[in-house]
């Protein structure tokens, strides 16, 4: 069993992953994460939790982010609850959530008061439109960065690209509601992956110690 007490935040042990060592570290990590999430929180979450702190591998991040998207509520809020619960149970979930929401809530209240007096100015509206373009670019960049993690997916590569293309067309061109895309495309993908994982794997014969050679692999026969 791995002794996590000897690990440090961002340690390269355990195949490049580490973990939060205390509730206070978890709180301040999500506080710092939330204070950077201007317009494109997905990019910040991926960089902080995967690249910097190494609390999740890329494959784990893709899987947990997919679950966070399917669940109701904000994606990053769901992810904070899942990650905190993974390491410290319900206390970790509440601590991560508090770190994520505490300081941003105070900042939003202050900004809301200040913004109320200048929201009608054309210069302010143009600045917000420019920020939205940057946010879209950040989200697209993270998606491209996480594409290599799909190599370990059980679904065939062609099917994965077909689902990505169908989702893009359904949302951007056909304007299908995200809920229906998740239920239909995500549900079919989950069922397909479940069927593939449920199939028996090909059996391998034991090597013959007398022959000194490796036997050929044999699959299941009908």
């Amino acid at each position: 069993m791995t002794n996590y007490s000897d690990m440090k935040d961002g340690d390269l042990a355990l195949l490049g992953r580490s973990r939060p060592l205390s509730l206070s570290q978890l709180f301040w990590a999500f506080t710092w994460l939330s204070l950077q999430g201007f317009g494109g929180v997905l990019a910040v979450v991926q960089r902080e939790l995967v690249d910097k702190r190494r609390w999740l591998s890329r494959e784990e991040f893709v899987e947990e982010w997919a679950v966070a998207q399917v669940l109701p509520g904000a994606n990053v809020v769901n992810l904070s609850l899942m990650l905190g619960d993974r390491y410290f149970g319900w206390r970790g979930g509440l601590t991560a959530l508090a770190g994520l929401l505490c300081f941003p809530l105070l900042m939003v209240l202050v900004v809301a008061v200040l913004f109320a007096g200048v929201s009608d100015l054309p210069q302010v509206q143009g600045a917000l439109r420019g920020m939205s373009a940057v946010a879209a670019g950040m989200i697209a960049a993270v998606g491209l960065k996480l594409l290599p993690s799909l190599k370990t997916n059980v679904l065939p590569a062609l099917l994965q690209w077909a689902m990505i293309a169908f989702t893009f067309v359904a949302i951007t061109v056909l304007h299908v509601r995200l809920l229906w895309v998740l239920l239909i495309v995500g549900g079919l993908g989950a069922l397909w992956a479940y069927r593939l994982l449920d199939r028996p794997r090909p059996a391998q014969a034991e090597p013959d110690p007398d022959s000194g050679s490796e036997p050929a692999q044999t699959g299941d026969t009908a």
Side-chain angles (χ1 to χ4, degrees):
M1 180 177 296
T2 304
N3 185 10
Y4 287 113
S5 62
D6 296 333
M7 298 179 61
K8 298 180 180 179
D9 184 26
D11 197 351
L12 296 181
L14 288 180
L15 300 178
R17 295 179 298 142
S18 61
R19 57 159 289 169
L21 303 181
S22 64
L23 290 174
S24 61
Q25 185 183 67
L26 184 68
F27 174 86
W28 289 112
F30 273 92
T31 298
W32 176 240
L33 183 153
S34 63
L35 293 177
Q36 300 177 74
F38 289 93
V41 67
L42 173 59
V44 178
V45 171
Q46 190 274 334
R47 185 179 68 247
E48 286 292 320
L49 299 183
V50 178
D51 295 339
K52 182 179 177 181
R53 297 189 179 273
R54 303 179 186 274
W55 290 352
L56 294 170
S57 66
R58 288 187 178 183
E59 291 76 14
E60 289 174 330
F61 177 77
V62 171
E63 293 171 359
E64 300 213 9
W65 189 260
V67 175
Q69 283 188 312
V70 174
L71 295 176
N75 301 337
V76 67
V77 171
N78 296 336
L79 182 66
S80 67
L81 289 171
M82 291 190 296
L83 186 63
D85 179 74
R86 167 187 287 196
Y87 295 117
F88 299 104
W90 64 269
R91 296 183 304 150
L94 294 180
T95 300
L97 181 62
L100 186 70
L101 299 180
C102 183
F103 287 96
L105 177 61
L106 297 177
M107 293 181 61
V108 167
L109 293 176
V110 173
V111 171
V113 173
L114 298 176
F115 183 73
V118 298
S119 59
D120 295 331
L121 295 178
Q123 295 85 346
V124 175
Q125 296 176 359
L128 292 177
R129 284 192 292 269
M131 292 172 62
S132 64
V134 175
M138 293 174 64
I139 294 175
V142 173
L144 294 174
K145 190 174 183 180
L146 294 176
L147 278 179
S149 63
L150 295 179
K151 295 179 180 179
T152 59
N153 197 300
V154 67
L155 295 176
L158 184 60
L159 178 61
Q160 295 180 44
W161 284 106
M163 295 176 64
I164 292 173
F166 183 83
T167 301
F168 179 82
V169 172
I171 294 177
T172 60
V173 180
L174 303 178
H175 303 290
V176 180
R177 294 184 60 181
L178 179 60
L179 175 62
W180 294 113
V181 176
L182 287 174
L183 289 176
I184 297 174
V185 183
L188 290 176
L191 289 175
W192 200 320
Y194 178 80
R195 287 178 61 87
L196 292 177
L197 291 172
D198 195 44
R199 290 180 180 176
R201 297 183 178 181
Q204 294 184 358
E206 295 293 333
D208 187 357
D210 298 329
S211 62
S213 61
E214 294 291 334
Q217 295 183 356
T218 59
D220 295 338
T221 57

